[in-house]
Amino acid sequence: MTSAMEHSPGRACSVSRVPRFDLEADVIVVGFGAAGACAAIEAAATGARVLLFEVAAGSGGTSALSGGEIYLGGSGGTPIQRAAGFSDATHDFLTYLVMAGGPNADAAKARLYAEESLAHFHWLRSQGVQYKNSYIAEKIVEPVTDDCLIWSGSEAAWPFAQEAKPCPRGHCPQFVGMGGGKYLMEVLAQRVSDLNVDVRFNSRALALIADDSGRVCGLVVRIDGESRYARAHNGVVLCTGGFIMNREMVRRHAPLMLRSRQPIGTVDDGSGIRMGMSVGGAAINMSEGFVTIPWYPPGSLVKGIFINECGQRFVNEDCYHGRVSQYILRQPGGDRVWLLVDQASYAPPDFQQLARIEIGAAAETWEEVERELQLPQGSLINTVELYNRYARQGEDPLFHKAREWLQPLEKPPFVALDCRVDHCFYSSFTLGGLDTLPTGEVLNEDRGVIPGLYAAGRTACGLPRWGPGYSSGMSLADATFFGRQAGLRAARAIANGASRNRPPEFE
Ligand SMILES: Cc1cc2nc3c(=O)[nH]c(=O)nc-3n(C[C@H](O)[C@H](O)[C@H](O)COP(=O)(O)OP(=O)(O)OC[C@H]3O[C@@H](n4cnc5c(N)ncnc54)[C@H](O)[C@@H]3O)c2cc1C
C-alpha cells in the first residue's frame, strides 16, 4: 500500500506510477457541496456511473452554512419576480451580470446564465427545492422568515441602475430563519442518493492522476489513512470550494483579503485549485473575494454617509453591503472608517452584536464629532455640509446615491458609527479559481482545454469574480448552475468517445 504522504494536491501523479486502480467510474466528482451535488446529479441522470468523494463525514460543505439564496432572473422573470410585479428582461440581467463581473467579466458564462436562469429555477424546483411566492421590499441581508424574493445586490444603485433596469433577483428557499443552505443541501443530497451516486465520505482527494498526453484519468484519494487510486473514464470534476481557509494561499494571492479577520467557510483550503494547477490549469482572478460587514438593516442607515480618516466620502451608500465593504477596505490610511448618521436616520444596526458596530462618537454638533474622531479640522464638516446642500435638492453629484436615500444629516444628536476594519466583523470568502469554459472544462494558460478535467463552484473562477460586483446569491447560482454544466459535459464525454479508451479490465 502506498503511503498517502507521498501525494499532494500540488503534484499530479503519473498513471505510470499507479500501482493498481481500486475504484473506477465514468465521472468522479470531488466535494459534496452545492457544485459537487449538482454535477453528480446531472452526470448520474444521464446514465453515467458517478463516484463522489467528500473529505467530511457528511454532505453540505460551505453551501450548507449559507443562506441558500440563489441569484435568478431574466426571460421576463421567475414566477416569483412576476408575481411581485417585476419583469426581468434577459438583456438587463445580462448587463448587470457583466458589470458585476468587473474588468475581467466572463461574458460567455454571463450570457448562458442570463438565458438559462429561468430554466435553472424550474430545475431547482424539480429537484424538490421549495420557494414561497413572496417578496420583501426592504433593504435586508437575508430573510429571517421563510420569504423568498429580496433585493440582494446593487441593482438599484449607481452605476448599475443607469445601465440595466433594476430588479430584485435574490431567491431564498422556503426555510424559516437564516441559513437556508442547510435545507438546500438536504434536498440536493437526497437527489444524489436517489440517483444511486456512489458517495464516499471521509475521503480526501490528494492528487490528480494524468496520463502521458496530459489527460486527467483519475484521482488519488486518502481513505482510512491509505492512498486509493480511482480511475475516471470520462473525467474528474473538482468542486472542493475556495481557498479562504488556507491563509498562506490568501497571503500569496489575495493579501488585501487578509484585512478581513473573519474568513467564512468549511474546508476551503484550495486543494482543488492546486490540483487543477498541478496539471497546467490556469488560476485567475485569485486576488478577488467577497468581503462584507452587515451594516444594514435597518434601511434608514443607508441615509447616512461613510467617511474615511481624511473625513471624505468614498461610495454611494445605497450599494449592496458587500460593495460598500470593498470600498471601505481600499481606503487610504487603513482601518478608520465611520458611518455618519443623525437623529432622523439612526437606529441600531440589526446585526450590531455580530458586526461589532459601536458608536465611535456622538455630539450635538458635527464640529464636536469631528474633534472626537480626531479628524483634520474642517474635513468632516465640509463633507457633511456639501452632502447636505445637495441632499436638500435630492442630488448627490459626487457619488450618485439614489434620491430615495438622500436626506440631509441635520437633526442632532449626530452619531459616528465605528466601522473599523480591524475591529468589526468583516467576513470573507474567495472568488478566484480555475479558469473554465461555461461547460466546466478547465483551461490552461493558453486557454486550451485540459482533457478530462472539470471544475465548478468556488474551485473555479465563475460568474462572481469581482468583489465590488458581488451580489448575494451569485455564488450558489454559479455553483449550482455551472456544477450542472460540468457534470453534464463530463458525462457526455462517454458518448463522445472517451469510453473507447476504457481499459479492458473495466469493460
Ligand atoms: C455564512 C455564509 C452564508 C452564505 N450565504 C450565501 C448565500 O445565501 N448565497 C450564495 O450564493 N452564497 C452564499 N455564501 C457563499 C456560498 O455558500 C459558497 O461560496 C458556496 O456554497 C460554495 O459552494 P461549493 O460547492 O463551491 O463549495 P462547498 O459547498 O464548500 O463544497 C466543497 C466541498 O468539498 C469538500 N472538500 C474540500 N476539499 C476536499 C478534498 N481535498 N477532498 C474531498 N473533499 C473535499 C468540502 O468538505 C466541501 O464539502 C455564503 C457563505 C457563508 C459562509
Side-chain angles (χ1 to χ4, degrees):
M1 202 69 64
T2 315
S3 158
M5 299 300 285
E6 285 178 24
H7 298 287
S8 124
R11 202 172 55 243
C13 172
S14 163
V15 72
S16 61
R17 289 191 59 229
V18 173
R20 91 221 135 255
F21 279 108
D22 305 297
L23 298 154
E24 57 99 16
D26 297 319
V27 176
I28 291 181
V29 177
V30 191
F32 201 165
C38 291
I41 290 169
E42 289 289 50
T46 65
R49 291 168 308 153
V50 182
L51 245 178
L52 198 170
F53 293 112
E54 165 56 51
V55 66
S59 62
T62 300
S63 305
L65 289 185
S66 77
E69 182 185 342
I70 299 190
Y71 203 76
L72 295 153
S75 304
T78 63
I80 295 165
Q81 286 174 312
R82 276 184 264 131
F86 296 96
S87 67
D88 192 11
T90 301
H91 67 86
D92 287 317
F93 189 25
L94 174 60
T95 302
Y96 184 79
L97 289 175
V98 171
M99 288 178 83
N104 188 28
D106 188 330
K109 281 191 189 125
R111 178 169 297 282
L112 184 67
Y113 190 65
E115 287 169 354
E116 295 293 322
S117 178
L118 177 59
H120 186 50
F121 171 78
H122 291 303
W123 182 85
L124 287 163
R125 287 232 288 215
S126 72
Q127 304 310 300
V129 184
Q130 309 249 346
Y131 292 99
K132 187 172 167 181
N133 193 356
S134 60
Y135 162 60
I136 298 178
E138 290 79 41
K139 223 169 160 54
I140 59 165
V141 171
E142 203 184 306
V144 289
T145 56
D146 63 352
D147 289 299
C148 178
L149 185 63
I150 62 168
W151 292 91
S152 69
S154 302
E155 302 85 358
W158 183 88
F160 302 94
Q162 273 55 40
E163 305 296 326
K165 189 178 156 203
C167 186
R169 302 194 180 99
H171 287 67
C172 305
Q174 187 162 10
F175 174 86
V176 180
M178 296 175 79
K182 184 172 176 297
Y183 159 75
L184 174 73
M185 281 311 301
E186 278 167 6
V187 173
L188 294 176
Q190 185 59 51
R191 284 292 293 152
V192 168
S193 166
D194 293 346
L195 288 160
N196 296 317
V197 172
D198 184 355
V199 181
R200 306 291 173 107
F201 291 113
N202 303 305
S203 304
R204 178 183 293 277
L206 293 178
L208 290 172
I209 300 171
D211 66 18
D212 290 347
S213 72
R215 181 184 180 84
V216 172
C217 56
L219 189 74
V220 188
V221 196
R222 183 164 66 211
I223 303 174
D224 296 333
E226 301 290 349
S227 294
R228 308 281 168 173
Y229 298 87
R231 182 184 280 279
H233 298 297
N234 293 25
V236 174
V237 190
L238 298 171
C239 302
T240 59
F243 62 94
I244 196 66
M245 296 303 178
N246 184 333
R247 300 313 270 173
E248 190 42 45
M249 259 180 103
V250 176
R251 195 179 316 283
R252 213 176 313 150
H253 298 285
L256 188 65
M257 303 265 298
L258 286 175
R259 295 192 59 200
S260 140
R261 297 276 189 88
Q262 201 60 56
I264 52 171
T266 48
V267 174
D268 294 295
D269 64 357
S271 55
I273 297 172
R274 292 183 65 216
M275 281 190 266
M277 291 169 79
S278 75
V279 291
I284 61 167
N285 280 20
M286 291 289 280
S287 60
E288 289 298 331
F290 164 86
V291 174
T292 209
I293 178 170
W295 59 273
Y296 65 76
S300 70
L301 292 172
V302 178
K303 294 178 176 164
I305 57 173
F306 276 98
I307 58 159
N308 60 22
E309 67 175 30
C310 306
Q312 304 286 314
R313 270 180 86 207
F314 50 85
V315 70
N316 45 328
E317 295 82 3
D318 54 345
C319 290
Y320 173 61
H321 51 84
R323 181 172 167 89
V324 171
S325 301
Q326 290 282 340
Y327 279 85
I328 292 176
L329 224 57
R330 286 164 171 78
Q331 288 315 295
D335 286 322
R336 302 198 320 143
V337 168
W338 299 271
L339 175 63
L340 305 184
V341 280
D342 69 348
Q343 194 201 54
S345 48
Y346 175 75
D350 283 12
F351 297 105
Q352 186 159 33
Q353 268 196 328
L354 171 78
R356 297 198 283 272
I357 297 175
E358 287 156 17
I359 292 180
E364 288 301 307
T365 66
W366 282 120
E367 283 81 357
E368 287 171 81
V369 173
E370 183 183 88
R371 265 199 306 280
E372 264 192 65
L373 299 179
Q374 299 179 339
L375 293 176
Q377 195 179 358
S379 57
L380 180 152
I381 311 295
N382 286 338
T383 296
V384 172
E385 197 278 320
L386 185 72
Y387 178 78
N388 283 352
R389 186 176 351 136
Y390 281 104
R392 279 182 211 107
Q393 301 161 31
E395 289 171 27
D396 175 19
L398 293 188
F399 296 101
H400 317 289
K401 190 165 163 177
R403 186 179 278 262
E404 68 170 300
W405 304 110
L406 290 170
Q407 181 176 287
L409 303 171
E410 53 194 6
K411 293 201 173 67
F414 302 115
V415 171
L417 290 171
D418 183 349
C419 298
R420 266 176 299 157
V421 179
D422 67 347
H423 175 77
C424 298
F425 177 92
Y426 284 80
S427 61
S428 58
F429 59 84
T430 56
L431 296 176
L434 295 170
D435 194 8
T436 54
L437 291 176
T439 52
E441 289 158 288
V442 175
L443 300 173
N444 62 26
E445 290 290 350
D446 298 320
R447 299 216 88 211
V449 168
I450 296 174
L453 187 61
Y454 305 82
R458 296 290 53 80
T459 305
C461 184
L463 266 185
R465 50 175 52 205
W466 186 50
Y470 189 83
S471 305
S472 275
M474 279 189 176
S475 186
L476 284 174
D478 175 76
T480 53
F481 181 77
F482 289 101
R484 290 178 59 204
Q485 309 312 310
L488 278 171
R489 185 57 163 226
R492 282 186 190 141
I494 309 175
N496 292 343
S499 63
R500 285 202 297 274
N501 299 328
R502 200 179 279 194
E505 71 262 35
F506 295 123
E507 290 299 313

